[in-house]
């Protein structure tokens, strides 16, 4: 008899889908999107539709591994946990807790994962990270401008007359936005796409602009200038914006033709964007890729300003949406989040190598593959290889896990017991194990509970996942949404409204929007490396996690024929940057810009197929994000 278990997707994805897992004789035989869920609408993305292959993958780790010679030796859980406790305690007691670094990333967005941070705060506090490789620049921009970063309800887009997809590829990285866009379009909304990379979403758009990578700051300035010149700004704007004169002066500092040239678009295209933005209500959906640049924060600030001066803030169908507060419904305030010090995430490799007083001697890695996913992979790899003790908790032997002293195998998402909130809509869900976790694996919570038990760290670590969920749901329960509600198919975050800033009051020091009034200084070029390396999300992969069979050989690199003049379609090429290289198979596409090459954002470092081997470690202008997409490269023919 098949049983259907309701759960939710914990992957680092804006959608947080409601999943129905069909279980027969203790095995998950099929997963599907919940047809009744208003966002999931019965379908899952390409990568998670194939998740069963990852769950059942013969390469999944089933037993702890300890480094031995140049490889690993299998050990039992008891031995593994005792070893971890002994080494962590020795290093903490001898060199101080700051000599241990805990690094957690987006392998699972489950809220119960915060208990791992809590454990390391109580055991130490140990060193942690600061900044945010994913959204640091944009978060800081919206916090500066509005006092917080959040969004209108997803379905509020059905009230928009114009929808701007500014640096977004929802067909790949936000698939449950696509049906909403289609519906809005059927109701007459215009769709504008701004993206230097030509991709499938362009087919959905009425207007498509293909600016220079990072040209958005100039583009937005030109649009704002046009709004002022044509008298299309909101006459009330001065009543809720600080810095209006300064922003106006900024956008008038150059003529429209200059802004157009800097953005590499035509002046008429700028005027068309301004016209559509003035056709209120217009919603701007800000992608995440674009703010992973040296000027990433300034770009998002410019889009915030566009929405403000065009009168689109706080009205149904308007807004400038970058992020939905996925943790907003959950109460994690009882958890300890202290750190002895914080290392800058985008620069992590160098920061580990350079840390002093004390040096970093041990690293514990939770739900992350920093060797493949952080900038400057080689330095991250070296930083880990040169530590005394590195523990990696993962389902697979990743580029990072291969550098561990101890690898602890963990559960898949279909065995997870957690809570999750979306960052592309306001829904929250319970994650429930469709099947019990396999014998050989332990959840992150079980692992830290076992460590805490051995260390005598207190009874709270003995709580079950459900007991933790009750704690985290307390605030939502008080607002009328119970754990049982979210277990029955999810619920909307009770603290999120449909329209953000509807009263046009902002949680800034003055209660008003703070407009940007200065342009950042020019970014340096990279002599001899004419192409931008755009390492974007791809449909079959979740960052470095592929679905289906293990990829082998070269990744695909797509560019305009003029960007690789001596090469032909299908050639194996070397893509080189000042710090590294990768091999790739060339796909030529005359619709792309001539100044960029497109590769997958994930990858396999040890196989020479990883974009981050080429990406220098640099921070964004604000928020300590990672400027991944400013990496410059050249394409050369690979020796046979
Ligand atoms: N299939 C799949 N989905 C994913 C992921 C994945 O790995 N695979 N990753 C997930 C994660 S971690 C995140 S954070 C989210 C969000 O992921 P995002 O980073 O938003 O997604 P991407 O599709 O990589 O990037 C969005 C678009 O930004 C564009 N872009 C890059 N530079 C510029 C620029 O200078 N200007 C403009 N206008 N556009 C630019 C890119 O060309 C791309 O089309 O997606 C999640 N979804
Ligand atoms: N070049 C380039 N690099 C990028 C980006 C880019 O645009 N370009 N985007 C960046 C972005 S947006 C992000 S968010 C980061 C993502 O960086 P990461 O979060 O490091 O990315 P993943 O490759 O998904 O690695 C997560 C790991 O967690 C494991 N895992 C899954 N579930 C669990 C679990 O429950 N417990 C534990 N312990 N492990 C689990 C997975 O098997 C996987 O190996 O990458 C960044 N890197
Ligand atoms: S990865 Fe995103 S789109 Fe795919 S199933 Fe999970 S939440 Fe849904
Ligand atoms: Mo991300």
């Amino acid at each position: 008899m098949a049983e259907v278990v309701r759960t939710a997707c914990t992957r680092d994805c804006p959608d947080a889908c409601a999943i129905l897992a069909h279980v027969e004789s203790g095995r998950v035989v099929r997963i599907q999107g919940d047809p009744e869920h208003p966002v999931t609408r019965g379908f899952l993305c390409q990568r998670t539709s194939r998740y069963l292959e990852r769950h059942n993958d013969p390469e999944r780790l089933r037993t702890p591994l300890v480094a031995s010679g140049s490889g690993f030796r299998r050990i039992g859980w008891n031995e593994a946990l005792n070893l971890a406790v002994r080494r962590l305690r020795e290093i903490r007691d001898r060199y101080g807790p700051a000599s241990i670094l805990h690094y957690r990333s987006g392998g699972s967005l489950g809220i119960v994962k915060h208990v791992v941070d809590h454990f390391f705060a109580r055991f130490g506090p140990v060193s942690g990270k600061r900044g945010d490789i994913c959204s640091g620049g944009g978060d800081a921009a919206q916090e500066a401008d509005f006092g917080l970063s959040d969004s209108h309800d997803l379905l509020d887009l059905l009230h928009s007359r114009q929808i701007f997809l500014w640096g977004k590829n929802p067909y790949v990285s936000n698939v449950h936005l696509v049906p909403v866009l289609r519906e809005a379009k059927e109701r007459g909304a215009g769709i504008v796409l701004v993206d230097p990379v030509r991709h499938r979403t362009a087919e959905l758009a009425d207007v498509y602009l293909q600016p220079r990578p990072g040209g958005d700051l100039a583009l937005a300035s030109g649009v704002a200038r046009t709004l002022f010149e044509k008298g299309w700004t909101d006459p009330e704007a001065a009543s809720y914006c600080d810095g209006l004169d300064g922003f106006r002066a900024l956008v008038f500092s150059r003529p429209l033709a200059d802004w157009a040239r800097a953005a590499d678009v035509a002046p008429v295209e700028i005027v068309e964007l301004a016209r559509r933005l003035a056709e209120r209500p217009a919603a701007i959906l800000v992608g995440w890729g674009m703010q992973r640049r040296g000027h990433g924060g300034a770009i998002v600030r410019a889009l915030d300003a566009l929405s403000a001066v065009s009168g689109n803030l706080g009205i149904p169908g308007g807004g400038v949406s970058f992020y939905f507060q996925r943790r907003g419904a959950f109460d994690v305030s009882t958890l300890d989040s202290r750190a002895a010090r914080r290392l800058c995430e985008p620069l992590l490799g160098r920061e580990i190598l350079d840390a002093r007083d004390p040096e970093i001697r041990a690293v514990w890695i939770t739900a992350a593959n920093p060797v493949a996913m952080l900038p400057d992979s080689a330095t991250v790899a070296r930083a880990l290889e040169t530590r005394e003790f590195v523990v990696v908790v993962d389902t697979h032997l990743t580029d990072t896990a291969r550098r561990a002293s101890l690898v602890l195998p963990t559960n898949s998402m279909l065995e997870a017991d957690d809570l999750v909130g979306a960052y592309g809509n306001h829904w929250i869900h319970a994650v429930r194990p469709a099947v019990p976790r396999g014998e050989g694996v332990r959840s992150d919570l079980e692992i830290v509970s076992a460590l805490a038990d051995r260390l005598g760290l207190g009874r709270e670590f003995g709580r079950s996942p459900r007991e933790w969920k009750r704690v985290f749901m307390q605030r939502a329960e008080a607002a009328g949404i119970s754990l049982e509600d979210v277990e029955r198919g999810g619920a909307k975050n009770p603290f999120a409204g449909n329209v953000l800033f509807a009263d046009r009051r902002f949680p800034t020091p003055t209660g008003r929007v703070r407009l940007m009034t200065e342009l950042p200084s020019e970014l340096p070029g990279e002599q001899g490396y004419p192409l931008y390396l755009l390492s974007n999300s791809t449909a079959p992969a979740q960052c470095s996690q592929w679905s289906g069979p293990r990829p082998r050989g070269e990744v695909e690199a797509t560019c305009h024929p003029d960007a690789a003049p001596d090469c032909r379609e299908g050639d194996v090429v070397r893509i080189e940057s000042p710090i590294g290289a990768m091999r790739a198979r060339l796909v030529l596409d005359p619709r792309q810009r001539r100044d960029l090459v497109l590769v997958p954002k994930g990858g396999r470092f040890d196989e020479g197929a990883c974009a981050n081997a080429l990406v220098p470690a640099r921070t964004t202008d604000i928020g300590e994000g990672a400027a991944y997409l400013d990496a410059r490269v050249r394409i050369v023919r690979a020796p046979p």
Side-chain angles (χ1 to χ4, degrees), residues 12 132-135 288 292 423 542-543 601:
D12 190 341
D132 190 308
I133 47 167
C134 178
S135 59
W288 295 277
R292 292 186 202 116
Y423 64 90
Q542 171 69 42
C543 295
K601 87 169 174 185

Side-chain angles (χ1 to χ4, degrees), residues 450-500:
L451 299 181
D453 186 41
R454 283 166 169 75
L455 290 159
L457 272 187
R459 292 222 328 266
E460 58 181 343
F461 288 102
R463 282 183 188 140
S464 70
R466 201 145 197 278
E467 286 166 330
W468 282 113
K469 292 191 209 185
R470 283 253 176 260
V471 173
F472 301 148
M473 283 296 293
Q474 264 163 18
R475 220 156 58 85
E477 299 225 22
I481 300 292
S482 68
L483 178 56
E484 287 70 20
D485 291 331
V486 297
E487 286 173 344
R488 269 192 296 269
K492 254 190 78 178
N493 173 351
F495 309 108
N498 287 331
V499 176
L500 187 65

Side-chain angles (χ1 to χ4, degrees), residues 134-145:
C134 178
S135 59
D139 292 338
Q142 294 221 310
E143 275 154 28
D145 295 336

